[in-house]
Structure formats: structure tokens, C-alpha cells
Amino acid sequence: MSETMTLHQAPEIMTLPRALWAGRMMSAFVVIALVADGAIQLLAPAQMASMYQETGFAMDLTRVVGPIILACAILYAIPTTRVLGAILVTGFLGGAICAHVRIGELGSPPEIFCLFLGVMTWAGLYARDARIRAILPLII
């Protein structure tokens, strides 16, 4: 038998129930935060006007950014696409951090929250998915 693991085989690393629920709670927090942000972008773009103005983006982008955030949240929430969703969420949050660094807001609350959300994205996935832990064995 081959020692390589196919995509659909679960590795022999067990997920403890506490870790599974902690991962689910972290992932739920990320999804709720992203859905709230995407909904505000779509339903109340006037509230986002000052932030867009400060970062140098056009106000019309709320109609584009909102659906992108919601798509990332949905992909992250669906179990079969959660890794793709995590990659897209990380990319989106990295862009948000870059926008704040570009205008000189190093260490600002929105930047720290984006960093925290990105860490929570992967920590939640790491805690609940044995395949991620098999690829990236951080805890020995």
C-alpha cells in the first residue's frame, strides 16, 4: 500500500472534542465578523464613506468589496471549501492591512483587528481540521 495520503483520506491525527469546538467557535466568529462587514458595505455604504476616504479608495467600491467579503465568508463557512475560503480571507485581510500601512496607520485598531481576524481564521481551521494539522504540525 502506498504511504501517500489521497485528498479524501483523513490522517491518523485525532481531533479532541474541545479543540473541535474551539475551532468551530473561532471560525464562527470570523464568519460573523465578515458577514457583518459585508452587510454594512452593501446596506449602509454611507457609514463606510469616511473610512474609504481616509484610505484613498473610491466610495463606489463598497458595491464591489461587500460581495467579495460575503463570498469569502461563505466559502470559509462551507466545509468542503473552507481552505479556499481561508486563503481568500487571508488575502483580503492582508490587503486591508496593507491599505492601513500605506496611509501610515501602523498599529491602528482596524489593522490590529484584521491581523487578529486572520490569525483566528487559520487557528479555527487548524483546530478543527486534522488535514491542516498534518500539513503544518505546529504542536508536537
Side-chain angles (χ1 to χ4, degrees):
M1 229 186 215
S2 173
E3 291 187 23
T4 60
M5 183 175 36
T6 65
L7 291 176
H8 298 292
Q9 286 178 328
E12 296 182 19
I13 300 171
M14 288 184 46
T15 302
L16 297 173
R18 289 180 300 185
L20 180 65
W21 279 103
R24 287 177 180 166
M25 288 172 35
M26 284 186 273
S27 296
F29 178 79
V30 170
V31 170
I32 290 168
L34 291 173
V35 168
D37 188 24
I40 290 171
Q41 300 268 344
L42 290 176
L43 302 176
Q47 294 180 352
M48 301 300 292
S50 66
M51 187 182 332
Y52 271 81
Q53 215 169 24
E54 288 174 8
T55 55
F57 291 108
M59 186 60 195
D60 294 341
L61 288 178
T62 58
R63 286 183 260 144
V64 175
V65 174
I68 290 172
I69 296 170
L70 292 173
C72 291
I74 290 168
L75 287 172
Y76 183 66
I78 298 171
T80 55
T81 60
R82 62 185 164 204
V83 174
L84 174 63
I87 292 168
L88 293 174
V89 166
T90 305
F92 179 79
L93 294 172
I97 290 170
C98 182
H100 286 283
V101 169
R102 183 179 63 88
I103 62 171
E105 289 186 350
L106 189 60
S108 66
E111 186 181 20
I112 292 170
F113 185 73
C114 287
L115 183 63
F116 173 72
L117 210 57
V119 169
M120 291 271 294
T121 299
W122 284 100
L125 193 58
Y126 188 86
R128 64 187 172 118
D129 195 340
R131 294 174 299 175
I132 300 298
R133 288 191 307 276
I135 293 171
L136 189 64
L138 295 177
I139 301 171
I140 300 173

